[in-house]
């Protein structure tokens, strides 16, 4: 799980109960905070280093900053 060298962004995949899947890109620290908050709600969060695809940025990413 490595970040994209030029942006520092990672691929974040959210899989909701019922099967809906959303793909985004975000900074690793933001992705990890998001995952920690969503996993208890049965939302599967996968973070990997494949942010090279044109995924949209994570909406409201500023909510997951320090």
């Amino acid at each position: 799980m490595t970040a994209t060298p030029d942006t520092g962004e990672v691929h974040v995949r959210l899989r909701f109960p019922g099967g809906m899947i959303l793909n985004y890109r975000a900074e690793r620290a933001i992705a990890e905070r998001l995952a920690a908050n969503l996993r208890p709600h049965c939302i599967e969060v996968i973070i990997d280093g494949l942010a090279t695809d044109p995924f949209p940025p994570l909406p409201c990413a500023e909510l997951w900053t320090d």
Side-chain angles (χ1 to χ4, degrees):
M1 295 198 294
T2 59
T4 307
D6 57 335
T7 65
E9 293 181 330
V10 294
H11 169 221
V12 181
R13 173 172 284 171
L14 307 175
R15 182 175 302 188
F16 293 85
M20 182 173 65
I21 297 173
L22 299 173
N23 291 288
Y24 297 108
R25 58 185 165 83
E27 293 179 19
R28 178 170 294 281
I30 290 172
E32 290 175 357
R33 285 187 201 104
L34 174 72
N37 283 277
L38 293 183
R39 285 182 176 137
H41 300 285
C42 298
I43 299 170
E44 179 183 4
V45 181
I46 299 170
I47 301 169
D48 63 36
L50 302 176
T52 55
D53 288 339
F55 299 121
L58 180 70
C60 302
E62 66 275 2
L63 296 174
W64 309 106
T65 59
D66 283 337

Coordinates of all heavy atoms in Angstrom, one line a residue:
M1 N 0.8 -1.2 0.0 CA 0.0 0.0 0.0 C 0.9 1.2 0.0 O 1.3 1.7 1.0 CB -0.9 0.0 1.2 CG -1.9 -1.1 1.2 SD -3.3 -0.9 2.3 CE -2.5 -1.0 3.9
T2 N 1.2 1.7 -1.2 CA 2.0 2.9 -1.3 C 1.3 4.0 -2.0 O 0.4 3.8 -2.8 CB 3.3 2.6 -2.1 OG1 2.9 2.2 -3.4 CG2 4.1 1.6 -1.4
A3 N 1.6 5.2 -1.6 CA 1.0 6.4 -2.2 C 1.6 6.7 -3.6 O 2.7 6.3 -3.9 CB 1.1 7.6 -1.3
T4 N 0.8 7.4 -4.4 CA 1.3 7.8 -5.7 C 2.4 8.8 -5.4 O 2.2 9.8 -4.7 CB 0.2 8.4 -6.5 OG1 -0.9 7.5 -6.5 CG2 0.6 8.8 -7.9
P5 N 3.6 8.6 -6.0 CA 4.7 9.5 -5.7 C 4.5 11.0 -5.9 O 4.9 11.8 -5.2 CB 5.9 9.0 -6.5 CG 5.4 7.7 -7.1 CD 4.0 7.6 -6.9
D6 N 3.9 11.3 -7.0 CA 3.7 12.8 -7.4 C 2.7 13.5 -6.6 O 2.7 14.7 -6.4 CB 3.5 12.9 -8.9 CG 2.3 12.2 -9.4 OD1 1.9 11.2 -8.8 OD2 1.8 12.5 -10.4
T7 N 1.7 12.8 -6.1 CA 0.6 13.5 -5.4 C 0.5 13.1 -3.9 O -0.1 13.9 -3.1 CB -0.8 13.1 -6.0 OG1 -1.0 11.7 -5.8 CG2 -0.8 13.5 -7.5
G8 N 1.0 12.0 -3.5 CA 0.8 11.5 -2.1 C -0.6 11.0 -1.8 O -0.9 10.8 -0.7
E9 N -1.3 10.8 -2.9 CA -2.7 10.4 -2.7 C -2.8 8.9 -2.9 O -2.1 8.3 -3.6 CB -3.6 11.1 -3.7 CG -3.8 12.6 -3.4 CD -4.7 13.3 -4.4 OE1 -4.8 12.8 -5.5 OE2 -5.3 14.3 -4.0
V10 N -3.8 8.3 -2.2 CA -4.1 6.9 -2.3 C -5.5 6.7 -2.8 O -6.3 7.6 -2.8 CB -4.0 6.2 -0.9 CG1 -2.5 6.2 -0.4 CG2 -4.9 6.8 0.1
H11 N -5.8 5.5 -3.3 CA -7.1 5.1 -3.8 C -7.9 4.6 -2.5 O -7.4 3.9 -1.7 CB -7.0 4.0 -4.8 CG -8.2 3.3 -5.1 ND1 -8.3 1.9 -5.3 CD2 -9.5 3.8 -5.4 CE1 -9.6 1.6 -5.6 NE2 -10.3 2.7 -5.7
V12 N -9.1 5.1 -2.4 CA -10.0 4.7 -1.3 C -11.2 4.1 -1.9 O -11.9 4.8 -2.7 CB -10.4 6.0 -0.4 CG1 -11.3 5.5 0.7 CG2 -9.1 6.7 0.1
R13 N -11.5 2.9 -1.6 CA -12.7 2.2 -2.1 C -13.7 2.0 -0.9 O -13.3 1.5 0.1 CB -12.4 0.9 -2.7 CG -13.7 0.1 -3.0 CD -13.4 -1.1 -3.9 NE -13.1 -0.6 -5.2 CZ -12.7 -1.3 -6.2 NH1 -12.4 -2.6 -6.0 NH2 -12.5 -0.8 -7.4
L14 N -14.9 2.5 -1.0 CA -15.9 2.3 0.0 C -16.9 1.4 -0.5 O -17.5 1.5 -1.6 CB -16.6 3.7 0.4 CG -15.7 4.8 0.7 CD1 -16.5 6.1 0.9 CD2 -14.9 4.6 1.9
R15 N -17.2 0.3 0.3 CA -18.2 -0.7 -0.1 C -19.3 -0.7 1.0 O -19.0 -1.0 2.2 CB -17.6 -2.1 -0.2 CG -18.7 -3.1 -0.6 CD -18.1 -4.4 -0.9 NE -17.1 -4.2 -2.0 CZ -16.4 -5.2 -2.5 NH1 -16.7 -6.4 -2.2 NH2 -15.5 -4.9 -3.5
F16 N -20.5 -0.3 0.7 CA -21.6 -0.1 1.6 C -22.4 -1.4 1.7 O -22.4 -2.2 0.8 CB -22.5 1.0 1.2 CG -21.8 2.4 1.3 CD1 -21.0 2.9 0.3 CD2 -22.0 3.2 2.4 CE1 -20.4 4.1 0.3 CE2 -21.4 4.4 2.5 CZ -20.6 4.9 1.5
P17 N -23.0 -1.6 2.9 CA -23.9 -2.8 2.9 C -25.0 -2.6 1.8 O -25.5 -1.6 1.5 CB -24.6 -2.6 4.3 CG -23.7 -1.8 5.1 CD -23.0 -0.9 4.1
G18 N -25.2 -3.7 1.1 CA -26.1 -3.7 0.0 C -25.3 -3.7 -1.3 O -25.9 -3.9 -2.4
G19 N -24.0 -3.5 -1.3 CA -23.2 -3.6 -2.4 C -22.7 -2.4 -3.2 O -21.9 -2.5 -4.1
M20 N -23.2 -1.2 -2.8 CA -22.8 0.0 -3.5 C -21.3 0.2 -3.3 O -20.8 0.1 -2.1 CB -23.5 1.2 -3.1 CG -23.1 2.5 -3.9 SD -24.2 3.9 -3.5 CE -23.8 4.2 -1.8
I21 N -20.5 0.5 -4.3 CA -19.1 0.8 -4.2 C -18.8 2.2 -4.8 O -19.2 2.5 -5.9 CB -18.3 -0.3 -5.0 CG1 -18.5 -1.7 -4.4 CG2 -16.8 0.1 -5.0 CD1 -17.9 -2.8 -5.2
L22 N -18.0 2.9 -4.0 CA -17.6 4.2 -4.4 C -16.0 4.3 -4.4 O -15.4 3.8 -3.5 CB -18.1 5.3 -3.5 CG -19.6 5.4 -3.5 CD1 -20.1 6.5 -2.4 CD2 -20.2 5.8 -4.9
N23 N -15.4 4.9 -5.4 CA -14.0 5.0 -5.5 C -13.6 6.5 -5.4 O -14.1 7.3 -6.2 CB -13.4 4.4 -6.7 CG -13.6 2.9 -6.7 OD1 -12.9 2.2 -6.0 ND2 -14.5 2.4 -7.4
Y24 N -12.6 6.8 -4.6 CA -12.1 8.2 -4.5 C -10.6 8.2 -4.4 O -10.0 7.1 -4.2 CB -12.7 8.9 -3.2 CG -14.2 9.0 -3.3 CD1 -15.0 8.3 -2.5 CD2 -14.8 10.0 -4.1 CE1 -16.3 8.4 -2.5 CE2 -16.1 10.1 -4.1 CZ -16.9 9.3 -3.3 OH -18.3 9.5 -3.4
R25 N -10.0 9.4 -4.4 CA -8.6 9.5 -4.1 C -8.5 10.5 -2.9 O -9.4 11.5 -2.8 CB -7.8 10.0 -5.3 CG -8.2 11.3 -5.8 CD -7.4 11.6 -7.1 NE -8.1 12.7 -7.9 CZ -8.0 14.0 -7.7 NH1 -7.2 14.4 -6.7 NH2 -8.7 14.8 -8.4
A26 N -7.5 10.3 -2.0 CA -7.4 11.2 -0.9 C -6.0 11.0 -0.3 O -5.3 10.1 -0.6 CB -8.4 10.9 0.2
E27 N -5.5 12.0 0.5 CA -4.2 11.9 1.1 C -4.4 10.7 2.1 O -5.4 10.4 2.7 CB -3.9 13.1 1.9 CG -3.6 14.3 1.0 CD -3.3 15.6 1.8 OE1 -2.9 15.5 3.0 OE2 -3.4 16.6 1.2
R28 N -3.3 10.0 2.3 CA -3.3 8.8 3.2 C -3.8 9.0 4.6 O -4.7 8.3 5.1 CB -1.9 8.1 3.3 CG -1.9 6.9 4.2 CD -0.7 6.1 4.1 NE -0.4 5.5 2.9 CZ -1.1 4.4 2.4 NH1 -2.0 3.8 3.2 NH2 -0.8 3.8 1.3
A29 N -3.4 10.1 5.2 CA -3.9 10.4 6.6 C -5.4 10.6 6.6 O -6.0 10.1 7.5 CB -3.1 11.6 7.2
I30 N -5.9 11.3 5.6 CA -7.3 11.5 5.6 C -8.0 10.2 5.3 O -9.1 9.9 6.0 CB -7.6 12.6 4.5 CG1 -7.2 13.9 5.0 CG2 -9.1 12.6 4.1 CD1 -7.3 15.0 3.9
A31 N -7.5 9.4 4.4 CA -8.2 8.1 4.1 C -8.2 7.2 5.4 O -9.2 6.5 5.6 CB -7.4 7.4 3.0
E32 N -7.1 7.2 6.1 CA -7.1 6.4 7.3 C -8.1 6.8 8.4 O -8.7 6.0 9.1 CB -5.7 6.3 7.9 CG -4.8 5.5 6.9 CD -3.3 5.5 7.3 OE1 -2.9 6.1 8.3 OE2 -2.5 4.8 6.7
R33 N -8.2 8.2 8.6 CA -9.2 8.7 9.5 C -10.6 8.3 9.1 O -11.5 8.0 9.9 CB -9.0 10.2 9.7 CG -7.8 10.5 10.5 CD -7.8 12.0 10.8 NE -6.4 12.4 11.2 CZ -5.6 13.0 10.3 NH1 -6.0 13.4 9.2 NH2 -4.4 13.3 10.7
L34 N -10.9 8.5 7.8 CA -12.2 8.1 7.2 C -12.5 6.7 7.5 O -13.6 6.3 8.0 CB -12.2 8.4 5.7 CG -13.4 7.9 5.0 CD1 -14.6 8.9 5.3 CD2 -13.2 7.9 3.5
A35 N -11.5 5.8 7.3 CA -11.7 4.4 7.5 C -12.0 4.1 8.9 O -12.9 3.3 9.2 CB -10.5 3.6 7.0
A36 N -11.3 4.7 9.8 CA -11.5 4.4 11.3 C -12.9 4.8 11.7 O -13.5 4.2 12.6 CB -10.4 5.2 12.1
N37 N -13.4 5.8 11.1 CA -14.8 6.3 11.5 C -15.9 5.5 10.8 O -17.0 5.4 11.3 CB -14.9 7.8 11.2 CG -14.2 8.6 12.3 OD1 -14.8 8.8 13.3 ND2 -13.0 9.0 12.0
L38 N -15.6 5.0 9.6 CA -16.7 4.3 8.8 C -16.8 2.8 9.1 O -17.9 2.2 9.0 CB -16.5 4.5 7.3 CG -16.7 5.9 6.8 CD1 -16.6 6.0 5.3 CD2 -18.1 6.5 7.3
R39 N -15.7 2.2 9.4 CA -15.7 0.7 9.6 C -16.6 0.2 10.7 O -17.3 -0.8 10.5 CB -14.3 0.2 9.8 CG -13.4 0.2 8.5 CD -12.1 -0.4 8.7 NE -11.4 -0.5 7.5 CZ -10.1 -0.1 7.3 NH1 -9.4 0.3 8.3 NH2 -9.6 -0.2 6.1
P40 N -16.8 0.9 11.8 CA -17.7 0.5 12.8 C -19.2 0.5 12.3 O -20.1 -0.1 12.9 CB -17.6 1.5 14.0 CG -16.2 2.0 13.8 CD -15.9 2.0 12.3
H41 N -19.4 1.2 11.2 CA -20.8 1.3 10.6 C -21.0 0.2 9.5 O -21.9 0.4 8.7 CB -21.1 2.7 10.1 CG -21.0 3.7 11.2 ND1 -21.9 3.9 12.2 CD2 -20.0 4.6 11.5 CE1 -21.6 4.8 13.0 NE2 -20.4 5.2 12.7
C42 N -20.2 -0.8 9.5 CA -20.2 -1.9 8.5 C -20.0 -1.4 7.1 O -20.5 -2.0 6.1 CB -21.6 -2.6 8.6 SG -21.8 -3.4 10.2
I43 N -19.2 -0.4 6.9 CA -18.8 0.1 5.6 C -17.3 -0.4 5.4 O -16.4 0.0 6.2 CB -18.9 1.6 5.5 CG1 -20.3 2.0 5.7 CG2 -18.3 2.1 4.2 CD1 -20.5 3.5 5.8
E44 N -17.1 -1.2 4.4 CA -15.8 -1.7 4.2 C -15.0 -0.6 3.5 O -15.4 0.0 2.5 CB -15.8 -2.9 3.2 CG -14.5 -3.5 2.9 CD -14.6 -4.7 1.9 OE1 -15.7 -5.0 1.4 OE2 -13.6 -5.2 1.6
V45 N -13.8 -0.3 4.0 CA -12.9 0.7 3.4 C -11.6 0.0 3.1 O -10.9 -0.6 3.9 CB -12.7 1.8 4.5 CG1 -11.8 2.9 3.8 CG2 -14.0 2.4 4.9
I46 N -11.2 0.2 1.8 CA -10.0 -0.4 1.3 C -9.1 0.8 0.8 O -9.6 1.6 0.1 CB -10.2 -1.4 0.1 CG1 -11.0 -2.5 0.6 CG2 -8.9 -1.8 -0.4 CD1 -11.5 -3.4 -0.5
I47 N -7.9 0.9 1.4 CA -6.9 1.9 1.0 C -5.8 1.3 0.3 O -5.2 0.3 0.8 CB -6.5 2.7 2.2 CG1 -7.6 3.3 3.0 CG2 -5.4 3.7 1.9 CD1 -7.3 3.8 4.4
D48 N -5.5 1.7 -0.9 CA -4.3 1.2 -1.6 C -3.6 2.3 -2.4 O -4.1 3.4 -2.4 CB -4.6 0.0 -2.5 CG -5.6 0.3 -3.6 OD1 -5.5 1.4 -4.2 OD2 -6.4 -0.6 -3.9
G49 N -2.5 2.0 -3.0 CA -1.7 3.0 -3.7 C -2.1 3.2 -5.2 O -1.2 3.6 -5.9
L50 N -3.3 2.8 -5.6 CA -3.6 2.9 -7.0 C -4.4 4.2 -7.4 O -5.3 4.1 -8.1 CB -4.4 1.7 -7.4 CG -3.8 0.3 -7.1 CD1 -4.7 -0.8 -7.4 CD2 -2.5 0.2 -7.9
A51 N -3.9 5.3 -6.8 CA -4.6 6.5 -7.1 C -4.2 7.1 -8.5 O -4.5 8.2 -8.8 CB -4.3 7.6 -6.0
T52 N -3.6 6.3 -9.3 CA -3.3 6.7 -10.7 C -4.5 6.8 -11.6 O -4.4 7.5 -12.6 CB -2.2 5.8 -11.3 OG1 -2.7 4.5 -11.3 CG2 -0.9 5.9 -10.5
D53 N -5.5 6.1 -11.3 CA -6.8 6.2 -12.1 C -7.4 7.5 -11.8 O -7.2 8.1 -10.7 CB -7.7 5.0 -11.8 CG -7.2 3.7 -12.3 OD1 -6.4 3.7 -13.2 OD2 -7.6 2.6 -11.8
P54 N -8.3 8.0 -12.7 CA -8.9 9.3 -12.5 C -10.0 9.3 -11.5 O -11.1 9.7 -11.9 CB -9.3 9.7 -13.9 CG -9.6 8.4 -14.6 CD -8.6 7.4 -14.0
F55 N -9.8 8.8 -10.3 CA -10.9 8.8 -9.3 C -11.1 10.3 -8.9 O -10.2 11.1 -8.8 CB -10.5 8.0 -8.1 CG -10.2 6.5 -8.4 CD1 -9.0 5.9 -8.2 CD2 -11.2 5.8 -9.0 CE1 -8.8 4.6 -8.4 CE2 -11.0 4.4 -9.3 CZ -9.8 3.9 -9.0
P56 N -12.3 10.6 -8.5 CA -12.6 12.0 -8.0 C -12.0 12.1 -6.6 O -11.9 11.1 -5.9 CB -14.1 12.0 -8.0 CG -14.6 10.6 -7.9 CD -13.6 9.8 -8.6
P57 N -11.8 13.3 -6.2 CA -11.3 13.5 -4.8 C -12.4 13.2 -3.8 O -13.6 13.3 -4.2 CB -11.0 15.0 -4.8 CG -11.7 15.6 -5.9 CD -11.9 14.6 -7.0
L58 N -12.0 12.8 -2.7 CA -13.0 12.4 -1.6 C -13.8 13.7 -1.3 O -13.2 14.7 -0.9 CB -12.2 11.9 -0.4 CG -13.1 11.6 0.8 CD1 -13.9 10.3 0.5 CD2 -12.2 11.4 2.1
P59 N -15.1 13.6 -1.3 CA -15.9 14.8 -1.0 C -15.7 15.1 0.5 O -15.6 14.3 1.3 CB -17.4 14.3 -1.3 CG -17.2 13.1 -2.1 CD -15.9 12.5 -1.8
C60 N -15.7 16.4 0.8 CA -15.6 16.9 2.2 C -14.4 16.3 2.9 O -14.5 16.1 4.1 CB -16.9 16.6 2.9 SG -18.4 17.3 2.2
A61 N -13.3 16.2 2.2 CA -12.1 15.6 2.8 C -11.6 16.4 4.0 O -11.0 15.9 5.0 CB -11.0 15.6 1.8
E62 N -11.9 17.7 4.0 CA -11.5 18.6 5.1 C -12.1 18.2 6.5 O -11.6 18.5 7.5 CB -11.8 20.1 4.9 CG -13.3 20.4 4.8 CD -13.9 20.2 3.4 OE1 -13.3 19.7 2.5 OE2 -15.1 20.4 3.2
L63 N -13.2 17.4 6.4 CA -13.8 16.9 7.7 C -12.9 15.9 8.4 O -13.1 15.6 9.6 CB -15.2 16.2 7.4 CG -16.3 17.1 6.8 CD1 -17.5 16.3 6.5 CD2 -16.6 18.2 7.9
W64 N -12.0 15.3 7.7 CA -11.1 14.2 8.2 C -9.7 14.7 8.5 O -8.8 13.9 8.7 CB -11.1 13.0 7.3 CG -12.5 12.6 6.9 CD1 -13.1 12.8 5.7 CD2 -13.5 12.0 7.7 NE1 -14.4 12.4 5.8 CE2 -14.7 11.9 7.0 CE3 -13.4 11.6 9.1 CZ2 -15.8 11.3 7.6 CZ3 -14.6 11.0 9.6 CH2 -15.7 10.8 8.8
T65 N -9.5 16.0 8.5 CA -8.2 16.6 8.8 C -8.1 16.8 10.3 O -9.1 16.8 11.0 CB -7.9 17.9 8.0 OG1 -8.9 18.8 8.3 CG2 -7.9 17.6 6.5
D66 N -6.9 17.1 10.8 CA -6.7 17.4 12.2 C -7.3 18.8 12.5 O -7.4 19.7 11.9 CB -5.2 17.5 12.6 CG -4.6 16.1 12.7 OD1 -5.4 15.1 12.9 OD2 -3.4 15.9 12.5

